[in-house]
Amino acid sequence: MPRPVKCRKVCHFPQILEFLPAGDTEKKAPIVLTVDEYETIRLLDKNGYSQEQCAVSMQIARTTVQRIYEIARKKIADALIDGHPLRIEGGDFRICDGQSSNCRFGGCYKQEIYKKYAEEKGEGIMRIAVTYENGQIFQHFGHTETFKIYDVEEGKVVHSEVVDTNGSGHGALAGVLNALNADVLICGGIGGGAQTALAAAGIKLFGGVSGDADKAVEAFINETLDYNPDVKCSHHEHNHGEGHTCGEHGCGSHSCH
C-alpha cells in the first residue's frame, strides 16, 4: 500500500503561474513545478533558509525537503536550458492560516490574526473581506494595505472592522484571508495566481467590483452585486492611469442573481 503524502504548509503563493521563454516559436510541452516545489525553492534559494529551517516551516521531514529540492532544481534547469514554458500548479500543500505554533520560528502576523479572528467568529456567521482604502474598494488585490471585514448573520452586518495586512503582498494575502477565516472576498483587479490561492483556501471570489465598500457588501447580501466572474485585471496586465479603475473598463459586469 503506498505511503500517504503529508500535506506541506505553504506561506506564500506565486503571483505569476506561467513563465514563457522569449523568442521561442517552437511549441514545447510545459514543465510543471508544483506549489510545494516552488515554496521549497523560495525558502532555500531566495530566503536563504537551511534545509532544517525549511522543513520546520513546511512541516515536513528534512529528507522530504531534500527530495523536493532536487526535483524542483532539475525542472527549473530543464526549463531554462531547453526553453520549455514553466508552469506552477498543483502539488500537496495547504495555505498557511496562522494556526501553526512554529510558523516562521516565533510567530507571524497571520498567527496573530488567527488567534483573534478565528475564535471570535461564531457559528452561522459569514465573514466577507473587502480590499479597502478610504471607504472604497481598493482596485489592486496584491497591493492592498487593509481589508475591511464584515460579519453577516441572517442577512445583516453584525460587526465590521478594518484590518491591516502588515505589509503582506500578493501570494501572502491569501494566507491573511485564511487566517481571518474569511468566506468571501470582494475586490477590484486580481491576478491569476491570487485567484488560485483563494480557491485553494476555499474563499469565494467576487472580483471586478469598484465603488463604496459598504454599499458593495449590502448589494452582495441582497444578491444584486455587479461583479466579473472572469476578472483578469491586475497591475501586471493593465497599466491603470490616473483616475482609472477596473469598474471603468467593465470589470464589474455580472450580477449575483
Side-chain angles (χ1 to χ4, degrees), residues 9-11 59 94-104 107-116 118 172 174-181:
K9 182 171 71 70
V10 171
C11 289
Q59 298 181 351
R94 60 183 175 84
I95 300 293
C96 175
D97 60 4
Q99 292 190 54
S100 173
S101 60
N102 60 8
C103 186
R104 293 197 184 182
C108 69
Y109 187 60
K110 284 179 287 187
Q111 190 176 68
E112 296 174 11
I113 289 176
Y114 176 81
K115 287 179 180 177
K116 178 178 180 181
V176 171
L177 290 171
N178 207 17
L180 283 167
N181 207 3

Side-chain angles (χ1 to χ4, degrees), residues 31-50:
I31 292 174
V32 176
L33 188 73
T34 64
V35 174
D36 45 329
E37 290 167 352
Y38 163 88
E39 179 74 345
T40 303
I41 290 291
R42 185 183 73 86
L43 292 177
L44 293 177
D45 289 344
K46 185 175 189 303
N47 288 6
Y49 280 25
S50 67

